Amino acid sequence: DAGVIQSPRHEVTEMGQEVTLRCKPISGHNSLFWYRQTMMRGLELLIYFNNNVPIDDSGMPEDRFSAKMPNASFSTLKIQPSEPRDSAVYFCASSPGQGLYEQYFGPGTRLTVT
Amino acid sequence: AQSVAQPEDQVNVAEGNPLTVKCTYSVSGNPYLFWYVQYPNRGLQFLLKYITGDNLVKGSYGFEAEFNKSQTSFHLKKPSALVSDSALYFCALNAGNNRKLIWGLGTSLGVNP
């Protein structure tokens, strides 16, 4: 299996621009998670989906962030407009289910907003 | 409220010595506990988990963890550390009922040759 695939691996953009991060979960996994990692705040869960339905988006920092999962094999995290404080590594993870199952992480997207 | 604490930001050990990375938790129901490792510029990798049963759980790369209900701890251990074990280690808790994982802040492990 190819594992969780994320693109792009690196993104540099200017403040105010729209940023779209992409994730392809492991085939057969029905839960998908978006995380953000920074030195200051550590690992934060932004949102997670189960069977393509958003279950908990309480970690989404503000309305500038949105996430979609149109089908079982694709999800996007969008930031519009981006700000320098959004600079972080964004991880996507998938798991066979909720709760007791381990999560499999992608390699991450390193976002820099100047 | 459910929470996870990793009381040490950094742990340093000599290669060949045993290592312990500490994790304590607080939960009202049954805890389901996980350890993950993150190597530089990589995503997190699952090491092991405790769901029920034997308190000593064995995982990947020779790691094991001991669940201690009375001390509400789930410390990660390895009998003999390798330089390649140097990484960031995360403990995580799931309180059941399909809830999301609650993550510790991570412990940076350095193994000196």
Side-chain angles (χ1 to χ4, degrees), chain B residues 12-91:
Chain B
N12 292 302
V13 299
E15 187 175 29
N17 283 2
L19 70 86
T20 298
V21 182
K22 296 179 180 178
C23 174
T24 59
Y25 66 90
S26 175
V27 66
S28 55
N30 291 322
Y32 304 107
L33 294 153
F34 300 76
W35 275 104
Y36 287 77
V37 60
Q38 184 180 27
Y39 298 101
N41 300 313
R42 302 284 295 274
L44 281 70
Q45 296 177 32
F46 168 75
L47 279 178
L48 51 80
K49 66 181 177 182
Y50 171 82
I51 303 299
T52 187
D54 196 346
N55 289 342
L56 185 64
V57 179
K58 294 188 182 295
S60 306
Y61 312 123
F63 284 93
E64 57 189 28
E66 185 170 8
F67 172 69
N68 188 317
K69 188 172 184 178
S70 62
Q71 297 186 2
T72 61
S73 67
F74 189 56
H75 300 334
L76 182 69
K77 301 180 180 183
K78 187 173 182 181
S80 179
L82 300 173
V83 172
S84 58
D85 292 330
S86 299
L88 190 58
Y89 291 81
F90 290 92
C91 182

Side-chain angles (χ1 to χ4, degrees), chain A residues 50-99:
Chain A
N50 190 50
N51 293 325
N52 311 337
V53 177
I55 303 299
D56 186 338
D57 65 354
S58 59
M60 296 285 264
E62 48 199 276
D63 292 345
R64 298 185 297 107
F65 286 68
S66 62
K68 294 182 179 179
M69 192 165 186
N71 57 61
S73 59
F74 184 66
S75 177
T76 59
L77 178 68
K78 186 175 293 186
I79 308 172
Q80 166 64 20
S82 58
E83 297 183 2
R85 61 193 168 116
D86 302 330
S87 297
V89 181
Y90 291 80
F91 290 105
C92 176
S94 70
S95 81
Q98 300 181 76

